[in-house]
Amino acid sequence: MLSRAEIIQWLQCDDATTLFLEADRLRRERVGDTVYFRGIIEFSNYCSSRCAYCGISALNRGIKRYRMSVKEVTDLALELDRMGVNTVVLQSGEDPRFSTREMLQVICGIRSQSAMAITLSMGELPAADYRLLREAGADRYLMRFETSDPDLFARLHDGHTLERRLEQIESIRQAGFQLGTGFLIGLPDQNLSMLADDILLTSELQPPMIGVGPFVAHPDTPLRNGNGAALDLSLRVVALLRLLNPRAHIPGTTALDTLAPDARERALLGGANIVMPNFTPSGYREHYLLYPGKPFASAVAVESLDTMKKRIHALGRPVGSGRGDPLSITPAV
Ligand code: 5AD
């Protein structure tokens, strides 16, 4: 078990090569070589929250808002399933007009035709709603705590408390979801000791899925002048999370891609085992800019899926088929 001091040491030392090698070794030993895809559909960019870092926050009045229909979301999810992407991640802002009621319709629509894994990432909801969504057949829920520092959390989230966020995360787990959580790397005013605490808090929560990414400053947000995170620091965080969470599913997240063209590969070589291609239809996806520089190639999704598969095969890693459930709950065969 790594101590806080050792984590800080790894975050600031000159050369982290041995850290990356050890994370890669442990990943191979404990979760294997297979890389799983999680297909993202960003179904609405309406948001009633005011997170200081986020480009689709209610504070940002300059963007075009969109909301896909229940049918569009359901049909696209089922199309991903047919393409062999057997996990869909349904992500949105906190949109009161595409909330639990509409999502229940989507889940029932998917479940009537498919056993694919359904992951939700639609922000904070009443505890009873998490249970309804879970009972309807959603499997996983992603909610980051964003930062483990209570003061920084409150400053970034319009006075909302970290305590409340952690309660939400607990409600998600209590509802029976496979939980995914994590934080932002390189937020303004976040120092290395806070980052070490972020890594430790994530690991204490023992989530079956972990998602972390670099903060990328968005010009139309209060944090427009922030510096964001360096690629190397972000990769060190991914590697440290692998050491502390050997069996977790850890993606090379989309935000990493903004830092370098090969960032995702480098994450896969330093502890990560998941990639999350974006399938939001063009016409919508260019308006879902949580941060600038998000890749939105005009190529149709299927082509970019092929490219991504080639890139993974080039690393000598197979692409997984099936849902890619957390290892602890996958029945032995
Ligand atoms: N840079 C990087 N990640 C961001 N997110 C929101 N805004 C930004 C940004 N400017 C992340 C948050 C949220 C996830 C869906 O997107 O961590 O949990």
Side-chain angles (χ1 to χ4, degrees), residues 51-56 91-92 121 142-146 165 182-185 187 211 213-218 221 255 288-292:
C51 307
Y53 43 79
C54 183
I56 67 163
Q91 190 180 90
S92 68
S121 173
L142 309 181
M143 181 176 285
R144 294 178 175 175
F145 58 81
E146 314 291 1
R165 174 57 61 96
F183 53 89
L184 283 164
I185 306 161
L187 284 164
F215 159 67
V216 185
H218 188 298
T221 62
Y288 200 88
L289 289 183
L290 306 186
Y291 44 85

Side-chain angles (χ1 to χ4, degrees), residues 88-161:
V88 66
V89 180
L90 302 174
Q91 190 180 90
S92 68
E94 296 197 351
D95 179 358
R97 292 182 54 195
F98 197 131
S99 191
T100 306
R101 203 166 69 108
E102 292 74 18
M103 188 49 77
L104 287 170
Q105 294 171 24
V106 171
I107 295 166
C108 293
I110 297 174
R111 272 292 160 267
S112 65
Q113 297 184 55
S114 164
M116 76 188 303
I118 303 174
T119 304
L120 305 179
S121 173
M122 51 194 287
E124 299 191 358
L125 297 170
D129 290 30
Y130 294 129
R131 288 194 292 275
L132 287 174
L133 293 163
R134 175 75 190 113
E135 280 159 18
D139 305 276
R140 310 176 184 151
Y141 206 106
L142 309 181
M143 181 176 285
R144 294 178 175 175
F145 58 81
E146 314 291 1
T147 171
S148 62
D149 185 273
D151 294 335
L152 182 58
F153 186 97
R155 268 184 279 138
L156 294 174
H157 299 103
D158 204 25
H160 287 193
T161 62

